[in-house]
Amino acid sequence: MSSGAPPPQPPPYRPYRQARAATPHARAISCVRFSPCGRLLATASLDGTVALLSPSSLAAIATLRGHTHGVSDLSWSTDSFYLCSASDDRTLRIWDIRSVLSVSGPKPAADPALDRCIRVLKGHTNFVFTANFNPQTSSQVASGGFDCTVRIWDVKTGRCTRAIDAHSDPVTSVHFIRDGSIIVSGSHDGSCKIWDAGTGACLKTVIDDKKPSVSCSMFSPNGKFILLATLDDSLKLCNYATGKFLKVYSGHANKVYCIQSAFSVTNGKYIVSGSEDNCVYIWDLQGKNILQKMEGHTDAVISVSCHPTENKIASGSLDNDKTVRLWVQDG
């Protein structure tokens, strides 16, 4: 018999409610990303623009223009100084956000006329679909695209330092582990692979099922697990060291779009995802049960983001809706 204290109980679940909605773009919202510092919300759209919004009011602070086709993904550097965007124009752009954040006071502000693009990364031969900053350095970005490659870039020079023939179909996601040493990629070819960020060597194939497509793959915040989305309405949590699938999260609809999911760790541990039934779903990470289904959007929700320190979720929806919505917990 153990005399130790009982394990700590998770905090009781407090439902989220919609606090704000905004339409910062003329077309579908493809990506929403809170900055690591929590002071900005970046959004991307099929209209080719990136917007910087207030994370509390959703007021537009700046619009980043330069891509000639739709933008599919965004990634912040850990210090929130730089933002990377991935576009169907076959390029990635690096934007310097320091001047926006340097404004004194709680509300960032911006000169709308200033061109903040400091690098254009060229090398992909088809749509660039996914991008991720190395969490340890703002000078390295990984990307993936419809040319089936994973590429690693030196942001300082703008050069592609490694091009990996990673998959046999478009790459849907790339994500660095928190120490920056390895990258996980997912693809429409049904596989998920781990790459050495330094050498480009394939260290492990986590799954290789041909079908369904792997539509999203990401490391958990602690770096121990991978969250995989597949186009059969399921999210799976995998221990990539052993290759074992530990949890499956289901109940949402996901057969068509690459929906970006997220870990929520500010109040309990949750999995958050958009869905093709126009809702945002929240699951208990351990229990796998749906805690909340948030209604409000009028088209598929393909991106969600959790605020780094506050109990806030942002979501973005496709062309029949075009809104960014902010969800908050009361109390």
Side-chain angles (χ1 to χ4, degrees):
M1 293 261 309
S2 168
S3 60
Q9 292 300 302
Y13 183 74
R14 296 201 318 254
Y16 283 81
R17 61 172 178 84
Q18 184 179 308
R20 293 269 188 280
T23 311
H25 299 279
R27 291 282 317 276
I29 309 297
S30 53
C31 184
V32 293
R33 295 266 190 252
F34 284 109
S35 60
C37 69
R39 293 179 65 208
L40 291 168
L41 174 65
T43 61
S45 171
L46 299 193
D47 69 7
T49 66
V50 175
L52 300 177
L53 310 181
S54 158
S56 51
S57 70
L58 299 187
I61 295 164
T63 302
L64 309 179
R65 303 178 192 277
H67 284 296
T68 56
H69 293 82
V71 180
S72 290
D73 199 14
L74 298 169
S75 178
W76 287 95
S77 60
T78 301
D79 56 16
S80 302
F81 289 174
Y82 301 97
L83 183 67
C84 177
S85 53
S87 171
D88 285 359
D89 67 10
R90 305 184 180 188
T91 72
L92 300 111
R93 283 179 174 251
I94 308 293
W95 311 87
D96 187 342
I97 312 299
R98 286 177 295 180
S99 64
V100 182
L101 290 170
S102 66
V103 177
S104 60
K107 293 185 178 177
D111 170 3
L114 190 65
D115 181 8
R116 291 181 177 77
C117 182
I118 56 167
R119 290 280 181 279
V120 180
L121 309 182
K122 297 178 180 178
H124 279 285
T125 57
N126 205 328
F127 306 149
V128 192
F129 194 72
T130 175
N132 191 233
F133 262 106
N134 184 326
Q136 296 300 318
T137 170
S138 58
S139 63
Q140 189 177 65
V141 162
S143 64
F146 275 55
D147 60 6
C148 309
T149 66
V150 169
R151 291 174 188 256
I152 300 171
W153 306 84
D154 181 333
V155 172
K156 288 189 172 129
T157 64
R159 292 184 52 200
C160 175
T161 56
R162 202 162 293 284
I164 305 164
D165 291 322
H167 293 278
S168 57
D169 278 317
V171 179
T172 57
S173 53
V174 290
H175 192 246
F176 281 96
I177 198 168
R178 66 178 185 175
D179 71 3
S181 62
I182 56 176
I183 297 165
V184 62
S185 67
S187 168
H188 279 305
D189 67 11
S191 71
C192 171
K193 298 178 181 180
I194 309 276
W195 308 91
D196 185 301
T199 66
C202 184
L203 301 178
K204 193 177 190 97
T205 298
V206 182
I207 54 167
D208 191 8
D209 288 344
K210 307 298 183 254
K211 288 187 176 178
S213 292
V214 176
S215 51
C216 186
S217 59
M218 62 189 296
F219 286 103
S220 58
N222 66 9
K224 293 181 181 174
F225 308 104
I226 291 171
L227 184 65
L228 287 172
T230 46
L231 293 184
D232 59 352
D233 310 315
S234 73
L235 284 157
K236 302 178 184 75
L237 193 69
C238 172
N239 179 330
Y240 68 91
T242 64
K244 285 197 167 71
F245 287 99
L246 308 175
K247 313 274 184 187
V248 178
Y249 308 93
S250 58
H252 63 308
N254 185 202
K255 284 191 165 68
V256 179
Y257 297 106
C258 293
I259 295 177
Q260 300 162 349
S261 44
F263 288 88
S264 173
V265 295
T266 51
N267 180 39
K269 292 187 177 170
Y270 311 133
I271 303 290
V272 184
S273 178
S275 175
E276 289 157 12
D277 65 3
N278 309 349
C279 297
V280 177
Y281 284 76
I282 303 178
W283 292 265
D284 179 70
L285 188 146
Q286 290 296 342
K288 303 177 293 186
N289 50 305
I290 294 173
L291 293 169
Q292 192 173 358
K293 175 183 172 182
M294 303 190 303
E295 300 178 355
H297 282 290
T298 56
D299 204 348
V301 180
I302 65 164
S303 185
V304 295
S305 181
C306 298
H307 193 279
T309 57
E310 301 170 22
N311 300 322
K312 283 181 184 174
I313 296 169
S315 57
S317 186
L318 292 183
D319 268 324
N320 287 332
D321 180 323
K322 296 194 281 283
T323 63
V324 174
R325 296 183 191 231
L326 188 67
W327 313 82
V328 299
Q329 284 181 324
D330 290 319

